[in-house]
């Protein structure tokens, strides 16, 4: 157990079983079969053949609400490309490895990973509501990496013992797969560590499964003394439909700061007009563009790579189109560096 300390608001949020049942059901009903995905989108079923092969070690997973935002009959739909396994994933490409960011070396205790001063990542779970084909953690050994109940307790003890950490970043997998009761316990435990002042949540669920944004979630975050921020993950404006807008609106009271991180992906958003539309839609929803990441060279994701030179060019075009606050930072992560490396 961590040291006990009075917490500003220890009362649990009112349970809203219906809202919780809703997102859990949607998650359980997510599409896992490439043939079904092709059928839902009126796509040639031959696309599903290689998909079944390529998806076997990191299977297809996509919620139906996200599929509803894809254009039927279009095999190049930018949302489809992010989730449909391709046969190229099986090719070994030089420079693309299982742990490109050397995260295994940055582990401290349990699911706690620290690379940067003053802040640390807490891995809560290996699960996600969607399996993004370009994900740098697609081969991450979560079970052996402390994303377990015992690992969480060890991480909390380590955090409590290190006064240099002021910000805890919930990550994964997707930390919002923890339900509101589990998150409430965790937020209270973090709030009881005096030197932790800020809580950041990195999650793709507000985009791919907006029903996850329950009133209880907002309430439990609003109740914490910690300054809370949320970093969502959307790569294309078409991901941000009205269901996402409604979820973000529900969250406003609990999370004053909202950011987006995106990955620069060939065929998805490697185009100035597409990136500008993403930024504008985000701003309209009260979300500031934060990082635009260059792809991490994880095995299986080479088809998405965009060169650094092309990234700089795109950023240059964005600066000509958008107000400064709507331009993301182009960044890449290099193992051993004291921060993300800003490219443009
Ligand atoms: C990306 C990352 C962070 C967050 O970096 P910020 O620049 O603070 O957004 C923190 N820890 C690790 C290990 C990361 O990979
Ligand atoms: S939601 Fe994030 S962690 Fe999960 S598969 Fe997608 S990119 Fe990876």
């Amino acid at each position: 157990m961590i040291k006990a300390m009075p917490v500003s608001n220890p009362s649990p949020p009112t349970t809203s079983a219906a809202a919780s049942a809703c997102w859990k059901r949607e998650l359980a009903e997510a599409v896992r079969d490439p043939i079904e995905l092709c059928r839902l989108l009126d796509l040639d079923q031959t696309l599903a053949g290689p998909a079944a092969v390529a998806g076997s070690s990191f299977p297809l997973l996509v919620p139906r609400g996200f599929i509803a935002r894809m254009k039927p009959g279009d095999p190049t739909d930018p949302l489809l490309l992010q989730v449909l396994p391709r046969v190229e994933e099986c090719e070994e490409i030089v420079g693309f490895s299982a742990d490109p960011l050397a995260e295994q070396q940055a582990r401290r205790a349990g699911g706690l990973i620290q690379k940067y001063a003053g802040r640390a990542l807490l891995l809560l779970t290996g699960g996600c509501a969607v399996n993004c084909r370009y994900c740098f953690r697609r081969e991450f050994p979560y079970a052996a990496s402390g994303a377990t109940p015992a690992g969480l307790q060890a991480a909390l003890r380590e955090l409590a013992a290190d006064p240099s950490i002021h910000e805890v970043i919930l990550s994964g997998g997707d930390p919002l797969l923890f339900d509101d009761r589990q998150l409430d316990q965790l937020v209270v435990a973090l709030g009881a560590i005096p030197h932790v002042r800020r809580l950041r949540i990195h999650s793709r669920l507000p985009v791919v499964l907006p029903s996850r944004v329950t009133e209880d979630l907002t309430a439990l975050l609003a109740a914490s003394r910690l300054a809370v921020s949320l970093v969502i993950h959307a790569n294309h404006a078409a991901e941000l439909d009205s269901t996402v807008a409604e979820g973000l609106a529900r969250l406003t009271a609990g999370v004053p700061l909202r950011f987006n991180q995106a990955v620069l992906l060939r065929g998805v958003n490697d185009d100035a007009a597409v990136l500008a539309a993403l930024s504008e839609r985000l701003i309209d929803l009260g979300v500031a563009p934060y990082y635009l990441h260059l792809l991490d060279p994880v095995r299986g994701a080479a088809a998405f790579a965009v060169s650094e030179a092309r990234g700089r060019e795109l950023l240059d075009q964005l600066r000509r189109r958008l107000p400064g606050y709507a331009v993301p930072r182009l960044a890449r992560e290099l193992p051993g560096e004291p921060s993300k490396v800003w490219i443009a």
Side-chain angles (χ1 to χ4, degrees), residues 6-343:
V7 177
S8 55
N9 187 346
S11 59
T14 52
T15 50
S16 158
S20 160
C22 171
W23 71 264
K24 288 181 180 176
R25 191 184 57 242
E26 282 183 33
L27 185 59
E29 290 171 355
V31 171
R32 293 172 167 79
D33 176 3
I35 294 181
E36 186 182 6
L37 179 60
C38 290
R39 193 174 46 71
L40 287 170
L41 289 169
D42 281 328
L43 289 170
D44 189 338
Q45 307 251 329
T46 55
L47 278 174
V53 178
S56 54
S57 61
F58 182 61
L60 172 81
L61 176 65
V62 55
R64 287 169 199 270
F66 195 71
I67 297 170
R69 300 169 221 166
M70 300 174 186
K71 196 151 120 260
D74 182 2
T76 66
D77 180 273
L79 278 56
L80 176 72
L81 291 179
Q82 294 179 54
V83 302
L84 185 68
R86 302 186 226 181
V87 73
E88 299 95 294
E89 289 183 22
C90 302
E91 292 167 12
E92 288 285 339
I93 309 272
V94 177
F96 285 74
S97 66
D99 181 18
L101 304 181
E103 292 211 310
Q104 289 300 337
Q105 276 112 72
R107 278 189 58 209
R108 288 188 53 169
L112 197 67
I113 293 187
Q114 187 179 18
K115 291 184 178 174
Y116 308 147
R119 55 216 196 275
L121 282 190
L122 191 49
L123 302 186
L124 296 188
T125 164
C128 285
V130 63
N131 281 344
C132 310
R133 307 320 300 175
Y134 52 84
C135 179
F136 72 94
R137 296 209 182 107
R138 48 182 291 162
E139 295 195 40
F140 199 73
Y142 285 101
S145 300
T148 61
L152 181 55
Q153 292 310 315
L156 287 170
R157 282 192 299 273
E158 181 85 358
L159 278 170
D162 184 348
S164 75
I165 297 180
H166 303 301
E167 178 173 18
V168 175
I169 303 169
L170 304 185
S171 183
D174 202 305
L176 289 184
L177 285 186
F178 262 37
D179 67 21
D180 292 332
R181 190 185 48 80
Q182 292 170 300
L183 276 177
D184 187 51
Q185 285 175 358
L186 175 60
V187 171
V188 167
L190 290 170
I193 303 174
H195 52 266
V196 173
R197 301 202 301 271
R198 293 186 293 276
L199 175 69
R200 192 192 323 175
I201 301 173
H202 279 189
S203 173
R204 190 142 159 73
L205 264 70
V207 173
V208 300
L209 197 75
S211 57
R212 172 65 192 94
V213 183
T214 58
E215 303 284 352
D216 284 355
L217 177 64
T218 303
L220 77 90
L221 295 172
S224 173
R225 75 165 172 83
L226 303 169
V228 181
S229 58
L230 171 73
V231 183
I232 63 170
H233 170 180
N235 301 308
H236 192 286
E239 293 173 46
L240 302 170
D241 70 353
S242 61
T243 63
V244 176
E246 286 155 19
L248 289 170
R250 282 195 294 280
L251 200 64
T252 310
V255 185
L257 284 172
R258 275 86 53 83
F259 302 103
N260 181 63
Q261 53 183 346
V263 183
L264 184 56
L265 300 167
R266 188 157 97 213
V268 174
N269 60 11
D270 58 337
D271 174 274
V274 168
L275 288 172
L278 172 63
S279 274
E280 295 205 60
R281 177 68 175 148
L282 287 165
I283 295 291
D284 290 347
L285 296 178
V287 179
Y290 183 28
Y291 285 129
L292 176 62
H293 295 279
L294 285 175
L295 184 78
D296 297 311
V298 68
R299 186 157 63 198
F304 290 108
V306 176
S307 72
E308 187 177 314
R310 175 70 183 140
R312 284 181 199 277
E313 209 174 272
L314 287 166
L315 261 280
D316 197 47
Q317 291 171 25
L318 279 188
R319 278 190 291 266
R320 290 161 197 261
R321 287 175 186 245
L322 296 171
Y325 64 80
V327 180
R329 299 168 180 85
L330 182 67
R332 83 155 12 119
E333 190 168 341
L334 293 176
E337 290 296 321
S339 71
K340 308 269 188 262
V341 180
W342 295 15
I343 310 284

